[in-house]
Amino acid sequence: MYDLVIKNARKFNGMTFDIGITKGKICEIAPLITKKARQKISLTPQQYLSAGWIDDHVHCFEEMTLYYDYPDQIGVNKGVTTVIDAGTTGAENIADFYEHAKQAKTNVYALLNISKWGIIAQDELADLNKIQADMVKQKIEELPDFIIGLKARMSKSVVGQNGITPLQLAKRIQKENHQLPLMVHIGSAPPNLLDILALLESGDIMTHCFNGKTNGILEQKTKKIKQIAVEAKNRGIIFDIGHGTDSFNFQVAETAYHQGIKADTISTDIYIRNRKNGPVYDLATTMEKLRLVGYTWEEIIEKVTEVPAQNFHLKTKGQIKEGFDADFTVFELINQPKELIDSNGEKRQSNQQIKPVQTIIGGKSYACES
């Protein structure tokens, strides 16, 4: 007997199937499952099912004061089964964050900020004494299933007078810790984008990839994507959306799209203020913005499931396969108008919404907020 059977699961290609789940794992995928189950969920003809959505750039440690939120309010309530906190905490306070994260229904992982207190102030990398490689290594060893990467914010307001040095230290720390994924925030110069990209390697993540700043990937005069960004993409640098309050620009995203540069992963950089007041609101809204740019729904779903799972080595998440975690998002496509706004105030009209209606995490089902 299965713990749960999901009936009439449907993908975009119209294929329907059943899923048998036991102890939080996918045990069987078949056109029809007749085996008994303790619980059954049947999708309606209007509903689709994907692997659970992953938001790989959030800020969700509620005890912080600058950037914070609550995992379940941005996760399970919004159709997101897994969130990855992007450097809110450092070696001094990540253990406290871990204790809070264990209480959430949503799967929570963390990128460890190379600054030991994380983002308690905007300039966490202005004092190089806060970068303690030994402390970083110790916490990674203590919390190997929670810390899945590193985070360095490389913009003028963060690094102060230190330029590119914090990133050089981050790369050294990365090499000393099993080449963990490194996410790098790009913002206003200095340091210059050229210097940042010169240090990044295949598998490193550049977040805020479509920001509208002069130090971003768009050459303001020619309105073309900078050659250094094209070369970075070609050599395997991962482009992550990281929408945030100030880091997603429709025109940059569209220009990149038409020049063959697409984001690899779609994330929100969500925290309580840009969730409640916009322009982020939730992952679904960010996904809708990429649909408006020109991405297909199929590739959008891939960029919030399979791709982030692979980037961060979440080996049992991101795909609907036997043996994988029973994490799913059930959603509908609704043909209704909706106004979307980017981080620089540009408004666009969308005629189709993606609406998560049910979140399934480890085989347990939760209704999404309407």
Side-chain angles (χ1 to χ4, degrees):
M1 178 179 287
Y2 287 128
D3 293 336
L4 171 66
V5 168
I6 301 174
K7 306 289 290 182
N8 305 315
R10 182 164 67 113
K11 293 185 176 182
F12 283 117
N13 61 10
M15 182 180 72
T16 60
F17 52 96
D18 293 352
I19 305 172
I21 297 160
T22 295
K23 295 181 179 179
K25 296 287 186 179
I26 301 171
C27 297
E28 183 182 3
I29 301 169
L32 180 65
I33 293 178
T34 57
K35 189 174 179 178
K36 291 183 179 179
R38 294 181 178 85
Q39 181 186 3
K40 288 185 180 180
I41 295 173
S42 294
L43 272 65
T44 69
Q46 292 76 38
Q47 293 176 340
Y48 297 90
L49 178 140
S50 72
W53 294 354
I54 300 169
D55 191 342
D56 73 7
H57 185 156
V58 309
H59 295 282
C60 65
F61 181 30
E62 58 264 43
E63 290 195 356
M64 300 296 271
T65 57
L66 189 58
Y67 301 120
Y68 72 94
D69 214 320
Y70 302 84
D72 287 340
Q73 293 187 28
I74 61 176
V76 62
N77 291 358
K78 300 291 188 176
V80 177
T81 61
T82 298
V83 296
I84 301 175
D85 183 279
T88 307
T89 55
E92 290 280 10
N93 51 1
I94 196 164
D96 293 335
F97 177 30
Y98 175 61
E99 291 304 316
H100 279 75
K102 287 192 296 186
Q103 308 305 315
K105 301 181 182 74
T106 309
N107 301 304
V108 182
Y109 298 95
L111 307 183
L112 182 65
N113 197 309
I114 63 168
S115 180
K116 65 180 182 178
W117 288 108
I119 313 175
I120 59 172
Q122 194 66 259
D123 61 347
E124 77 265 18
L125 294 176
D127 180 358
L128 295 180
N129 290 319
K130 292 181 180 178
I131 304 174
Q132 299 289 334
D134 289 345
M135 292 179 65
V136 170
K137 185 176 183 64
Q138 178 184 349
K139 289 303 170 183
I140 291 171
E141 291 173 350
E142 289 178 5
L143 300 170
D145 296 326
F146 183 57
I147 300 172
I148 59 172
L150 301 167
K151 176 71 180 294
R153 299 201 305 149
M154 297 304 297
S155 57
K156 183 179 180 180
S157 61
V158 178
V159 303
Q161 302 300 312
N162 289 326
I164 201 68
T165 302
L167 183 54
Q168 293 170 331
L169 295 174
K171 290 298 293 180
R172 189 181 306 166
I173 290 169
Q174 180 189 35
K175 287 178 170 58
E176 293 170 353
N177 291 278
H178 315 293
Q179 204 67 23
L180 276 177
L182 171 65
M183 177 181 281
V184 178
H185 155 126
I186 59 168
S188 300
N192 189 277
L193 181 66
L194 173 65
D195 298 323
I196 294 171
L197 293 180
L199 287 176
L200 300 189
E201 302 168 277
S202 178
D204 289 339
I205 301 110
M206 179 182 73
T207 193
H208 309 316
C209 65
F210 296 150
N211 73 49
K213 299 172 184 177
T214 56
N215 196 41
I217 69 168
L218 183 68
E219 177 55 58
Q220 300 293 327
K221 291 182 179 179
T222 64
K223 300 302 179 184
K224 291 184 179 181
I225 301 303
K226 296 173 182 176
Q227 186 60 30
I228 55 170
V230 174
E231 292 170 357
K233 190 75 161 61
N234 290 340
R235 71 172 193 271
I237 307 305
I238 296 162
F239 281 35
D240 177 64
I241 292 293
H243 188 305
T245 303
D246 196 33
S247 297
F248 178 77
N249 181 283
F250 273 127
Q251 294 184 21
V252 175
E254 284 182 335
T255 301
Y257 177 81
H258 291 300
Q259 293 181 27
I261 303 294
K262 293 183 181 180
D264 297 290
T265 50
I266 298 171
S267 65
T268 59
D269 185 21
I270 199 167
Y271 55 95
I272 195 164
R273 294 192 301 277
N274 67 31
R275 170 169 63 87
K276 290 187 173 182
N277 304 324
V280 177
Y281 300 111
D282 51 39
L283 181 57
T285 301
T286 302
M287 293 161 67
E288 290 164 354
K289 293 174 186 180
L290 273 296
R291 180 71 187 99
L292 206 56
V293 167
Y295 294 62
T296 66
W297 282 122
E298 288 87 349
E299 62 185 333
I300 287 169
I301 293 296
E302 185 180 48
K303 293 174 190 300
V304 298
T305 55
E306 183 174 354
V307 179
Q310 291 176 348
N311 292 344
F312 289 101
H313 312 305
L314 301 176
K315 296 180 179 179
T316 58
K317 297 191 182 298
Q319 298 183 61
I320 303 173
K321 285 186 175 181
E322 292 179 6
F324 274 55
D325 294 343
D327 294 351
F328 309 99
T329 303
V330 179
F331 60 93
E332 299 175 355
L333 295 178
I334 301 173
N335 295 319
Q336 290 182 359
K338 180 178 178 179
E339 185 179 78
L340 301 174
I341 183 169
D342 72 7
S343 296
N344 300 113
E346 182 175 346
K347 297 177 181 179
R348 301 281 183 93
Q349 188 77 12
S350 171
N351 292 316
Q352 190 173 58
Q353 302 175 34
I354 189 165
K355 181 182 179 183
V357 295
Q358 198 168 15
T359 313
I360 300 169
I361 301 175
K364 295 182 179 180
S365 176
Y366 308 92
C368 296
E369 288 181 347
S370 58

